[in-house]
């Protein structure tokens, strides 16, 4: 699973090395942020798999905090794409079906590869653009080093958007923005289901190197491979989780 710093200070390890959920939270920066971290780590560890309910009362009792604090934390996690909240039903770990995964990744591959080809063919990927791309990649590397899941997801989305934005076609970029939430959902799901084959910087570095080389076909091919491989790895994990 991709590294993450979502664990609170009070996480304990059993004798066999497994981690158990704490009954309290040690020295939180703020109580709400500590609850957010605790719930997120529980989801990432698989204690609450995609589609499962996050019971407000149980979480509040476990963390010895008010239901209102848990509710606020769940709303924050909804904004981050990890939780979905249904009126009169409660909060659930974000889930997404195979059909939607295919649609999102296929649309991303189509639009992003077209954008990159257009940008490189027209000579838009100059030193200034390369500097912006390198800076976005550095942000991804930094987030990965800090083991911050949500920062990694945000940096991943930003890097792809920065690369695409070199095409300078507003309508295309508007379409990419319109599916950004869906993109975030599928990327979050890759972390929850541990479907990444490589560390985040390693999986993106070949794309960056190809763009830097100026080889249009190589860059577009590597970007397409990166997106499609991510799609297939995620679909395999979804099938393993629900073979029916």
């Amino acid at each position: 699973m991709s590294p993450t710093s979502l664990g609170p200070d009070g996480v304990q390890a059993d004798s066999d090395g497994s981690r158990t959920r704490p009954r309290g939270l040690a020295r939180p920066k703020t109580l709400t942020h500590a609850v957010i971290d605790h719930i997120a780590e529980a989801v990432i560890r698989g204690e609450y798999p995609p589609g499962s309910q996050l019971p407000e009362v149980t979480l509040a009792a476990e963390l010895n905090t008010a239901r209102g604090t848990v509710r606020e934390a769940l709303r924050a996690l909804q904004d981050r794409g990890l939780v979905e909240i249904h009126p009169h039903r409660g909060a659930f770990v974000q889930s997404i079906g195979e059909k939607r995964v295919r649609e999102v990744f296929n649309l991303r591959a189509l639009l992003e590869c077209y954008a990159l080809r257009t940008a490189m063919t027209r000579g838009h990927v100059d030193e200034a653009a390369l500097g912006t791309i390198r800076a976005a990649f550095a942000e991804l590397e930094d987030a990965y080093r800090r083991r911050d899941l949500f920062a990694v997801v945000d940096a991943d989305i930003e890097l792809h958007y920065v690369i695409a934005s070199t095409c300078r076609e507003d309508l295309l970029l508007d379409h990419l923005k319109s599916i950004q939430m869906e993109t975030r959902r599928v990327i979050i799901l890759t972390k929850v289901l541990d479907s990444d084959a490589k560390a985040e910087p390693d999986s993106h570095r070949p794309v960056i190197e190809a763009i830097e080389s100026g080889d249009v076909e190589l860059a577009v091919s590597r970007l397409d491979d990166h997106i499609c491989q991510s799609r297939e790895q995620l679909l395999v994990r979804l099938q393993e989780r629900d073979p029916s």
Side-chain angles (χ1 to χ4, degrees):
M1 179 173 294
S2 298
T4 171
S5 65
L6 298 178
D9 293 340
V11 172
Q12 301 294 323
D14 293 333
S15 58
D16 63 357
S18 63
R19 303 176 80 190
T20 58
R21 287 188 286 170
R23 299 299 298 180
L25 297 165
R27 298 183 300 281
K29 185 175 180 181
T30 70
L31 184 57
T32 299
H33 282 111
V35 174
I36 290 171
D37 286 350
H38 174 85
I39 296 172
E41 185 182 359
V43 170
I44 300 306
R45 287 203 309 264
E47 294 178 26
Y48 296 102
S52 64
Q53 188 168 15
L54 293 164
E56 229 176 70
V57 174
T58 302
L59 287 167
E62 179 182 294
L63 300 178
N64 192 27
T65 189
R67 287 183 63 182
T69 302
V70 171
R71 192 175 302 119
E72 185 179 354
L74 291 172
R75 286 173 183 157
L77 289 170
Q78 180 183 40
D79 292 339
R80 295 183 181 187
L82 193 61
V83 169
E84 51 189 356
I85 298 175
H86 301 284
H88 313 300
R89 291 180 56 206
F92 296 80
V93 178
Q94 185 66 266
S95 185
I96 186 169
E98 291 181 29
K99 180 175 181 292
R100 195 64 167 181
V101 167
R102 289 186 187 278
E103 289 176 352
V104 172
F105 275 106
N106 290 349
L107 186 56
R108 285 184 60 206
L110 183 67
L111 294 179
E112 291 184 31
C113 288
Y114 172 80
L116 180 57
R117 182 183 296 279
T118 298
M120 295 185 72
T121 301
R122 295 177 181 173
H124 294 332
V125 188
D126 53 17
E127 279 305 312
L130 285 173
T132 303
I133 292 170
R134 289 170 183 143
F137 180 66
E139 288 292 326
L140 178 61
E141 290 183 304
D142 179 64
Y144 186 81
R145 279 194 299 268
R146 290 187 283 111
R147 307 173 71 83
D148 186 329
L149 170 73
F150 291 116
V152 167
V153 172
D154 288 340
D156 186 330
I157 293 173
E158 179 64 15
L159 174 58
H160 279 265
Y161 186 79
V162 165
I163 292 172
S165 67
T166 57
C167 74
R168 305 179 188 176
E169 293 199 4
D170 293 339
L171 184 58
L172 185 153
L173 296 175
D174 285 344
H175 280 294
L176 280 175
K177 282 184 178 179
S178 72
I179 63 168
Q180 196 167 73
M181 181 56 71
E182 291 295 307
T183 299
R184 185 182 179 84
R185 289 177 66 200
V186 296
I187 293 177
I188 281 282
L189 193 56
T190 65
K191 311 304 178 234
V192 173
L193 295 181
D194 192 21
S195 67
D196 290 331
K198 297 181 180 178
E200 288 293 339
D202 291 342
S203 67
H204 289 83
R205 188 172 287 108
V207 178
I208 306 303
E209 291 173 349
I211 294 172
E212 290 174 329
S213 76
D215 188 324
V216 177
E217 296 306 320
L218 179 62
V220 171
S221 175
R222 286 187 176 178
L223 178 60
D224 184 66
D225 286 346
H226 166 71
I227 295 172
C228 292
Q229 286 174 12
S230 298
R231 178 197 64 209
E232 293 308 307
Q233 290 159 8
L234 178 54
L235 288 171
V236 167
R237 287 304 177 95
L238 285 171
Q239 279 286 341
E240 290 173 349
R241 180 176 65 90
D242 186 13
S244 62

